[in-house]
Amino acid sequence: MTKLHPASVPVRSLSRSLSTGTLFFFLGVVASPGGPGNVLVIGSMVLFGIVVGVVYELAYYQRFEYELTANTFDVASGVLSRRAREVPLRRVQNVDVRQNVVQRALGIAAVHVETAGGGQTEVTLRYVDEAEARRLRRRLREGASEERPETEREREDAGETEDLLFAIRPDELAILSVFTIDPGASILGGIALSFASGFDPATFVPADGLESDLPGSGLIAIGWALLLFLLAAWVLSAALTFNRYYGFRLTRVGDELHYERGLLQRYSGTIPLEKVQTLTIKESVPARWFGYGSLAVETAGYAPGQSGSRGAESAIPLAERSRVDALARSIEPFGSTDLERPPSRARERYAVRYVAALCAIMAVGYVLATYTAVVEDWHAVAALLVLVPPAAHLKWRSRGYRAGERYFLTRTGFWRRTTKVVPYYRVQTAVYHQTIFQRRRRLASVTADTASSASFFGRPATAIDVDADRALELQQLLADRLQERLRVRRRRRTLDGWFDDEVDGSSTGESTSGPT
């Protein structure tokens, strides 16, 4: 059995002693016979709490053990109550290695093991040596035995078998930081703006002789507030994105992709190619106008971004579209991306939807203007009606699908155009669905569900607003192609097994006949 790195004792003791010392400080204040001024009693209890914390962490270090066997990864932990976990290596899906600034300075790392079908991390080793973390990641992904030659292990640790596929350039990192809006940063940016400017939403509309914090009134003041809010969110998002993707590089080792990224906190992990379910190519505005895009890879039971401490893990966070397409096709050779668009009547449905939304907004504005002083110029929203036809057309142009020989492709979204590529043999269910509004226009949608789309963050490939009759044909086509590709793969595995038997037989002197 192997223990954690010795540096885990002082690191964990610092955090634990702070919490136990604080607890005993308050206990000393309450229980000291001389009242709060009895410094000696309080200090003694704080010191006792710190000692308790250090002793606990020493016991935790002694009782935390793990072992990597030929078939399982065993972890035993617990001070007061003992807990033992046994994870079969065949169930290991992703192994990530993370390092914050302190861990990088001490030469230690945290290993997070996620299993197939799991929605959260199965096992976490927070304090292991950097070299040990890399060894565990490789061995857990490969499922190999301990009797591997040390020379081979050293060659792999040295990175001699790694092929560099992608490394983010400084200009790409700058563009990614500028054009990425983080939802969490939006909330923090708004809070920071409120505290920094003393802005009060209640002063949008002047009343009782008080002046508004922002120029204008009503919707104009709200517009100024929204502009400042977006500015604060943009600045904070740029900083967070720069920190997250600094030094991003992607390498290939055998049948796996390895990624590393991060400035203050370093992340590294693996993407097993044999378990790839879906490729997702994203092109957001305005990055798309300058010819940039990103590539994400989803594997069985796990979708990018499933871990709460990470953003969407990408094979390429941002690069020129030609580089994105080249890497995507090296993983899955899906060919052309020319898609079939929805029928023109779908465009009419989008226009009706936008007009209805604007009418609802104007109705709410009219009610507020009639009974309150919050909104005065509610009718200004009507000017947006001129944008309805181009908006509907852009939405229609941004949707489509393609049912190729080996892959099913779908596309949706204008502001964040998303193209999904799904191999037919990865499809688990072809779903035909039709809303009440689609039924009126004789439209429907077809979804190709995969193992990755079953997770919380996974979004399946969906052909939206297809002609209803064509959607039924597409659903049957997906089912037929799935069975066809599965038969092809079974034949290939059978032939590979035969050829492997022939090679094994010839190497051992046995006579092995091929298939007849």
Side-chain angles (χ1 to χ4, degrees):
M1 300 290 282
T2 307
K3 294 185 178 296
L4 298 177
H5 194 281
S8 64
V9 177
V11 174
R12 289 180 58 93
S13 296
L14 178 62
S15 175
R16 180 72 64 177
S17 60
L18 286 176
S19 59
T20 54
T22 302
L23 173 63
F24 277 87
F25 170 78
F26 288 109
L27 291 177
V29 170
V30 174
S32 57
N38 195 330
V39 178
L40 181 60
V41 175
I42 297 175
S44 300
M45 296 194 69
V46 169
L47 181 61
F48 177 77
I50 293 175
V51 172
V52 169
V54 173
V55 171
Y56 179 88
E57 292 305 330
L58 284 170
Y60 181 88
Y61 170 78
Q62 291 295 332
R63 292 179 61 83
F64 193 105
E65 298 175 321
Y66 65 90
E67 182 179 14
L68 184 60
T69 66
N71 301 310
T72 62
F73 182 48
D74 305 330
V75 179
S77 62
V79 177
L80 301 179
S81 61
R82 197 69 171 162
R83 182 185 181 187
R85 285 164 289 177
E86 184 178 281
V87 180
L89 296 185
R90 59 182 173 80
R91 292 186 60 237
V92 173
Q93 187 68 30
N94 288 279
V95 183
D96 294 343
V97 178
R98 311 175 193 177
Q99 291 178 287
N100 57 32
V101 176
V102 175
Q103 290 173 326
R104 292 167 67 181
L106 296 176
I108 58 179
V111 179
H112 299 261
V113 182
E114 296 169 348
T115 57
Q120 57 185 359
T121 300
E122 184 77 16
V123 175
T124 299
L125 306 179
R126 297 192 181 279
Y127 305 96
V128 297
D129 184 77
E130 286 181 302
E132 173 71 1
R134 291 194 298 269
R135 185 188 75 88
L136 285 174
R137 182 179 63 187
R138 182 184 66 252
R139 293 288 312 288
L140 286 170
R141 287 294 309 124
E142 293 177 352
S145 63
E146 283 287 350
E147 287 77 19
R148 301 185 63 197
E150 188 67 26
T151 56
E152 181 184 358
R153 188 179 308 170
E154 291 175 353
R155 286 198 303 268
E156 291 181 3
D157 287 339
E160 295 178 358
T161 60
E162 288 190 348
D163 296 326
L164 180 63
L165 299 180
F166 173 80
I168 194 167
R169 300 196 305 253
D171 59 323
E172 294 170 338
L173 180 59
I175 295 173
L176 178 65
S177 302
V178 169
F179 294 122
T180 299
I181 297 297
D182 190 290
S186 300
I187 299 176
L188 294 177
I191 296 175
L193 173 65
S194 298
F195 280 104
S197 62
F199 178 74
D200 183 5
T203 61
F204 274 163
V205 181
D208 299 331
L210 297 177
E211 294 185 358
S212 173
D213 287 349
L214 297 174
S217 61
L219 292 180
I220 297 178
I222 295 177
W224 276 103
L226 180 61
L227 179 62
L228 293 177
F229 175 82
L230 293 177
L231 179 61
W234 172 66
V235 172
L236 187 56
S237 291
L240 293 177
T241 303
F242 182 87
N243 173 70
R244 180 181 300 136
Y245 289 108
Y246 177 84
F248 186 98
R249 63 193 303 269
L250 183 73
T251 60
R252 180 165 184 167
V253 181
D255 293 331
E256 288 187 340
L257 300 178
H258 291 191
Y259 64 86
E260 296 180 4
R261 64 171 177 84
L263 178 60
L264 297 180
Q265 188 162 9
R266 194 71 179 168
Y267 295 96
S268 62
T270 58
I271 303 174
L273 293 179
E274 74 276 7
K275 296 184 179 180
V276 170
Q277 302 288 307
T278 305
L279 299 182
T280 302
I281 300 174
K282 297 181 180 180
E283 306 165 273
S284 59
V285 174
R288 181 170 75 244
W289 297 341
F290 295 96
Y292 288 88
S294 65
L295 173 66
V297 178
E298 300 176 10
T299 59
Y302 175 83
Q306 185 169 325
S307 176
S309 61
R310 296 177 296 170
E313 295 300 356
S314 303
I316 295 181
L318 186 77
E320 296 175 356
R321 182 58 194 270
S322 59
R323 299 175 69 190
V324 173
D325 289 342
L327 179 57
R329 286 188 172 89
S330 70
I331 299 174
E332 295 287 358
F334 51 85
S336 174
T337 56
D338 294 334
L339 307 182
E340 180 179 343
R341 292 197 181 99
S344 58
R345 60 181 180 274
R347 182 167 44 195
E348 301 171 4
R349 190 170 83 90
Y350 305 149
V352 172
R353 181 191 303 176
Y354 292 150
V355 170
L358 289 176
C359 290
I361 294 175
M362 286 190 292
V364 172
Y366 173 77
V367 172
L368 292 176
T370 303
Y371 297 100
T372 68
V374 175
V375 176
E376 296 178 356
D377 43 4
W378 60 270
H379 52 277
V381 179
L384 298 177
L385 290 173
V386 299
L387 300 178
V388 167
H393 178 72
L394 291 174
K395 187 179 186 69
W396 173 78
R397 286 196 59 183
S398 299
R399 286 183 170 177
Y401 68 94
R402 177 184 176 87
E405 290 296 325
R406 297 173 55 190
Y407 299 93
F408 179 57
L409 285 74
T410 64
R411 178 178 292 164
T412 185
F414 170 74
W415 297 106
R416 190 174 181 83
R417 179 181 295 173
T418 301
T419 303
K420 286 187 173 288
V421 180
V422 182
Y424 286 123
Y425 68 90
R426 294 299 190 185
V427 177
Q428 292 190 336
T429 308
V431 182
Y432 173 96
H433 47 99
Q434 188 179 46
T435 67
I436 186 174
F437 302 105
Q438 287 178 319
R439 194 177 302 121
R440 292 174 58 88
R441 293 280 178 173
R442 305 187 312 280
L443 301 172
S445 300
V446 179
T447 297
D449 269 327
T450 64
S452 63
S453 59
S455 66
F456 178 79
F457 288 91
R459 294 185 177 181
T462 303
I464 303 175
D465 288 338
V466 182
D467 179 82
D469 295 334
R470 173 59 178 154
L472 290 173
E473 297 175 359
L474 184 59
Q475 181 191 28
Q476 186 60 44
L477 177 63
L478 288 174
D480 294 342
R481 293 282 171 83
L482 167 62
Q483 297 303 320
E484 177 185 346
R485 297 309 304 174
L486 289 178
R487 286 193 295 268
V488 170
R489 289 176 64 84
R490 280 196 294 266
R491 285 198 298 268
R492 288 179 177 175
R493 284 197 296 267
T494 302
L495 290 174
D496 291 341
W498 282 334
F499 292 138
D500 289 342
D501 289 340
E502 290 180 348
V503 173
D504 293 340
S506 63
S507 64
T508 57
E510 298 177 359
S511 176
T512 304
S513 60
T516 58

